Amino acid sequence: MTQTTALRARTLRAASATALLLALCVGATHAQNTPQAPGPKPWQDRTLSPDQRASLLDKELTVDERLGLLHGPMAIPFFPGMKLPEGAIGSAGYIAGVPRLGIPAQQESDASLGVTNPGNVRPGDTATALPSSLLLAATFNTDLAYKGGVVVGQEARSRGINVQLAGGVNLVRDPRGGRNFEYAGEDPLLAGHIAGAAIKGIQSQNLIATMKHFAVNDQETGRNFANSVISEAAMRESDLLAFQIAHEVGQPGSVMCAYNLVNGAYACGNDFLLNKVLKTDWGFKGYVMSDWGAVKATDFALKGLDQQSGEQLDKQVWFGDPLKAAVQTGAVPASRVSDMSRRILRSMFAAGLFDAPLAVNVDRAANAEVSRQTAAEGIVLLKNEGNLLPLAASAKTILVVGGHADAGVLSGGGSSQVTADAAQIALPVGGEGMMAAFNRMNFHPSSPLKALKERLPQTTVRFDTGRYAAEAARKAKEADLVIVFANQWMAEGDDAPDLSLPNGQDALIAALAEANPKTVVVLQTGGAVAMPWLKQTPAVVEAWYSGDRGGEAIADVLTGKVNPSGHLPVTFPTAITQYPRADLPGLGLPDGQVFDVRYDEGSDVGYRRFAALGQKALFPFGHGLSYTTFAYSDVKVTGGDTLSVSFKVTNTGSVRGKDAPQVYLNRRPNGPAKRLIAFSKVDLAPGQSTTVTLSADMRLLSRFDAKAQKWVQPAGRYEITVAQDAEDTGLTASAQMKAATRKP
Ligand code: BGC
């Protein structure tokens, strides 16, 4: 092209874009100036689909109104002197509405564990604090995930929040991940179904849920500069599959793109992730919002981003004047801008933001009960030698040590931190960096010590803070039994440097176990930790972050009022060297320096890689003990088009209990492959049996063929195991399957 023709082409492009913009302005000005006919507007017709209504309403918007829907600020006074935008109720973010057309403002709040109150922006406002999402995943119970979603949705809506930034689906690829507690584990099937059900529950209350952080945002170290390097096939079979399933189950109105880069492009400006995978392949009809401060340029709009959130954290309000200018020059087509606002309006219609009455009844007592039930079902009994648990009523003295168990239960930090009750204890974490001033170690005021005392009126229950190991050990010798609480506080923005328990707690546990062989360890951690003292401690309970009724739930499990039924949604390794990246990529690098995180393990995340390498975990994925025992029998597998498995589960012990039977693929025609392909949760009285029938999603039997752009399931024999965990040899059977393919 000669210079003149290039210039002419550019001028033409600009001219036609300007003409389009003018046409939009003229149309909109006309809409604005023409007196609106009285009576119902076409987009108010509830018999029309959300798509139709959104298109009708979008046409009424002026350019500025349209752009106004595409960006907004944080709605917390984060910076000195910052004021809340007018109309904002105070929460993570705010997008102004268009009152003339009855378009409500978007009031966005975090997160999956409940409605947060960052910086006490709504003075004194408290909400139900659900247990961590990792604990929720440990329930293996999608009904509980849905119920928790209803709690969050209802409490959000009652405050005028209409977009809940909830639905964390990132896979736990590293046990040190700072946000692992906000996610639903290392397996795509489990994570997808748990997060999907939670999203569905939230949206049942007429608001938008936001599935996040899309995608491969699997470490916090250098989260704004980490470039996740992973092949398309590996991504589709792991991280993306979790999101895909959650999308299918939950139909979220919104998706939040992540901070990191994926294969060289920022996740929020990633054409492959947003335009191809999400919008084209999966048919996502909602809108993509950025994570707070994750937008780098106006052309992210072309890459699939629809809305810029928390815009003060970005260099510019890219989706304001710069986007308007980009439309004028033709760099961004006006039709794309219309698509962006239409998608937002479509989700608002689909969620019922225009139609559903605002008033909702919130029953905080009932919600607290959901929180307690979830905790009770997600706490995992890892070890119970000699049936030390449940606590024998004969114990005369119990010494409880550490973990601030007298005050409450630990919760995770960062944007998902819920203020459960005004009385909660918040200890400043300190340190350096931007987050140092904000980080608080919060304890929900549900004291396990108090709950234990209530449940064991005949026992003398004493408490030692655990500050001095020798002194605690001296007291431990005098007690019949010791329960030590060990805490690992995790928060957004930082990964744990290793798998140890901080502040000398490993040494404290070892000292206690030496002083008293009947030492029970209760872990309150963000995820997996190493247990150098494991051989000396007969009983270990993983309580995660157990939410605002956690103390009661922990005491119920310890005393046997609740029979534990949680199962690990992540592998607990013996050492970090069992993982592909023993040194955390990016650790110590200056801000701004982009670095690679190579996911060379591909789709073999967690237990899948342990199986491929023949590694034994400290506790495998899926592991969880009960005070009763379960047996599996009568396994039948049918193949052909769909792989279906049926089997009998029997409670062979003497107390009622819940089991989470798991079905794994072991081998497919082209070789071994460990994959969770189905799971269930059953509740059985002693001696009772039930037959469970489950079928496998073909994507878990297949490989993704990136070249052909499809899932490919070769014909042949598929071997499966009905098992109690990923390492259990269980009951094995196989079926002959037909060849099959499926679109991405
Ligand atoms: C987090 C998001 C959160 C947002 C708004 C970001 O820092 O990554 O998960 O929704 O802040 O608070």
Side-chain angles (χ1 to χ4, degrees):
M1 209 192 284
T2 64
Q3 255 188 337
T4 353
T5 35
L7 188 69
R8 199 176 309 131
R10 263 208 310 273
T11 320
L12 270 175
R13 257 199 322 269
S16 56
T18 315
L20 251 170
L21 190 74
L22 274 175
L24 278 169
C25 291
V26 171
T29 315
H30 171 78
Q32 204 172 23
N33 293 342
T34 314
Q36 301 259 321
K41 306 287 176 285
W43 65 87
Q44 288 169 336
D45 181 351
R46 294 187 193 189
T47 63
L48 299 178
S49 70
D51 289 294
Q52 290 168 315
R53 294 175 74 184
S55 294
L56 286 167
L57 181 51
D58 185 63
K59 289 197 183 87
E60 300 291 325
L61 293 169
T62 66
V63 171
D64 288 329
E65 283 170 346
R66 178 168 294 121
L67 287 164
L69 292 177
L70 309 184
H71 65 92
M74 279 172 95
I76 29 176
F78 190 70
F79 302 107
M82 182 195 149
K83 285 211 177 72
L84 285 192
E86 211 185 309
I89 59 176
S91 59
Y94 176 79
I95 312 279
V98 184
R100 135 187 121 77
L101 293 168
I103 301 175
Q106 292 161 62
Q107 313 268 5
E108 305 165 323
S109 166
D110 286 302
S112 301
L113 318 185
V115 180
T116 62
N117 185 6
N120 199 24
V121 62
R122 301 183 306 279
D125 189 22
T126 66
T128 299
L130 296 172
S132 67
S133 296
L134 204 55
L135 180 152
L136 176 65
T139 66
F140 275 64
N141 185 338
T142 52
D143 291 344
L144 276 175
Y146 180 85
K147 278 191 190 165
V150 172
V151 167
V152 177
Q154 194 190 73
E155 293 193 5
R157 181 104 176 129
S158 72
R159 286 163 170 78
I161 305 288
N162 50 21
V163 181
Q164 187 70 12
L165 311 169
V169 203
N170 295 87
L171 284 193
V172 172
R173 275 186 182 260
D174 192 307
R176 297 162 296 187
R179 300 188 87 169
N180 289 353
F181 75 92
E182 290 188 62
Y183 301 138
E186 68 189 29
D187 179 74
L189 181 75
L190 181 66
H193 279 279
I194 292 287
I199 289 169
K200 200 169 171 185
I202 293 171
Q203 295 199 150
S204 73
Q205 300 304 299
N206 296 120
L207 66 157
I208 294 169
T210 307
M211 178 167 86
K212 64 189 189 181
H213 308 87
F214 196 67
V216 209
N217 179 189
D218 300 340
Q219 70 166 48
E220 289 298 288
T221 304
R223 66 177 179 177
N224 296 293
F225 315 106
N227 176 36
S228 303
V229 180
I230 181 167
S231 76
E232 177 178 352
M235 220 185 322
R236 297 263 195 184
E237 293 172 16
S238 55
D239 296 60
L240 291 185
L241 185 55
F243 278 102
Q244 189 174 13
I245 294 171
H247 171 245
E248 287 159 4
V249 174
Q251 297 289 309
S254 176
V255 168
M256 186 189 291
C257 49
Y259 284 127
N260 52 295
L261 302 94
V262 179
N263 293 330
Y266 276 102
C268 288
N270 198 306
D271 182 61
F272 170 75
L273 284 179
L274 306 183
N275 282 333
K276 170 144 179 43
V277 173
L278 184 64
K279 292 182 176 175
T280 308
D281 295 345
W282 301 351
F284 173 62
K285 292 187 164 171
Y287 64 100
V288 179
M289 68 163 74
S290 71
D291 201 340
W292 273 227
V295 189
K296 313 283 175 201
T298 301
D299 79 350
F300 278 22
L302 294 174
K303 307 290 164 58
L305 179 65
D306 300 303
Q307 193 178 64
Q308 179 183 7
S309 327
E311 64 197 13
Q312 306 98 318
L313 299 180
D314 287 318
K315 274 210 181 104
Q316 280 198 53
V317 182
W318 300 104
F319 283 12
D321 288 341
L323 183 57
K324 194 172 182 177
V327 176
Q328 270 156 355
T329 63
V332 175
S335 58
R336 168 65 187 127
V337 177
S338 198
D339 175 50
M340 293 156 82
S341 52
R342 202 191 36 72
R343 282 176 171 273
I344 295 165
L345 293 171
R346 194 233 173 241
S347 289
M348 293 172 88
F349 278 117
L353 300 197
F354 287 85
D355 313 318
L358 262 174
V360 269
N361 288 328
V362 175
D363 182 344
R364 281 289 290 272
N367 291 353
E369 182 50 20
V370 174
S371 187
R372 190 202 58 76
Q373 268 179 21
T374 307
E377 246 190 86
I379 291 171
V380 183
L381 178 60
L382 291 172
K383 182 177 177 188
N384 194 19
E385 231 169 57
N387 293 333
L388 187 60
L389 295 175
L391 297 173
S394 57
K396 298 234 174 354
T397 54
I398 292 181
L399 177 71
V400 175
V401 181
H404 298 283
D406 52 337
V409 287
L410 185 63
S411 61
S415 59
S416 69
Q417 172 71 60
V418 180
T419 310
D421 195 293
Q424 73 186 303
I425 290 167
L427 307 176
V429 178
E432 293 178 333
M434 190 175 102
M435 292 312 289
F438 299 94
N439 281 340
R440 296 273 179 283
M441 223 182 267
N442 276 49
F443 289 82
H444 296 318
S446 167
S447 157
L449 178 68
K450 182 166 167 265
L452 274 170
K453 284 183 175 172
E454 281 164 7
R455 283 156 185 74
L456 299 167
Q458 313 299 334
T459 309
T460 304
V461 182
R462 298 185 60 204
F463 181 66
D464 182 277
T465 60
R467 282 205 301 144
Y468 295 99
E471 172 58 5
R474 186 188 65 73
K475 290 182 190 163
K477 281 192 186 134
E478 292 165 5
D480 291 333
L481 187 136
V482 177
I483 305 172
V484 52
F485 283 77
N487 295 351
Q488 180 207 38
W489 181 78
M490 299 290 282
E492 179 178 343
D494 268 323
D495 297 314
D498 55 40
L499 296 175
S500 67
L501 289 166
N503 304 327
Q505 293 174 101
D506 283 319
L508 172 68
I509 297 171
L512 290 168
E514 204 186 311
N516 190 327
K518 288 189 180 172
T519 291
V520 178
V521 182
V522 179
L523 295 167
Q524 303 192 88
T525 64
V529 287
M531 303 181 203
W533 31 260
L534 186 64
K535 284 205 175 80
Q536 284 81 56
T537 50
V540 183
V541 173
E542 176 54 84
W544 318 103
Y545 302 145
S546 52
D548 58 7
R549 289 297 173 272
E552 287 95 315
I554 292 170
D556 283 345
V557 166
L558 292 174
T559 55
K561 188 170 171 214
V562 164
N563 189 353
S565 66
H567 288 257
L568 291 181
V570 286
T571 304
F572 275 47
T574 56
I576 196 62
T577 45
Q578 290 186 312
Y579 275 80
R581 287 163 296 280
D583 295 323
L584 266 172
L587 197 62
L589 287 184
D591 269 8
Q593 190 170 323
V594 172
F595 61 93
D596 287 351
V597 186
R598 298 194 58 85
Y599 290 112
D600 292 338
E601 72 274 28
S603 63
D604 278 342
V605 181
Y607 72 86
R608 293 177 171 189
R609 184 168 178 274
F610 273 66
L613 300 180
Q615 293 183 153
K616 289 273 168 265
L618 189 64
F619 293 108
F621 174 90
H623 170 74
L625 302 173
S626 163
Y627 297 144
T628 188
T629 46
F630 298 97
Y632 304 145
S633 58
D634 302 347
V635 177
K636 293 189 189 76
V637 190
T638 57
D641 291 322
T642 307
L643 191 144
S644 289
V645 189
S646 83
F647 54 94
K648 206 159 106 180
V649 187
T650 307
N651 181 342
T652 49
S654 55
V655 283
R656 187 176 194 100
K658 290 184 180 172
D659 186 35
Q662 302 146 43
V663 184
Y664 292 90
L665 171 72
N666 290 333
R667 168 172 288 279
R668 45 192 174 193
N670 37 11
K674 196 76 167 176
R675 302 275 182 275
L676 180 74
I677 57 170
F679 64 91
S680 180
K681 190 97 191 228
V682 294
D683 183 7
L684 296 170
Q688 196 186 353
S689 295
T690 187
T691 296
V692 176
T693 305
L694 302 166
S695 54
D697 186 320
M698 76 76 81
R699 289 170 292 194
L700 290 157
L701 306 177
S702 306
R703 278 244 169 259
F704 188 81
D705 183 338
K707 220 179 205 169
Q709 282 293 297
K710 57 186 177 197
W711 296 93
V712 179
Q713 175 191 295
R717 196 143 275 283
Y718 288 72
E719 183 192 287
I720 61 105
T721 295
V722 178
Q724 313 235 4
D725 62 55
E727 284 181 13
D728 179 17
T729 44
L731 293 177
T732 297
S734 67
Q736 185 69 26
M737 298 294 295
K738 288 186 187 157
T741 59
R742 182 182 156 151
K743 284 196 188 136

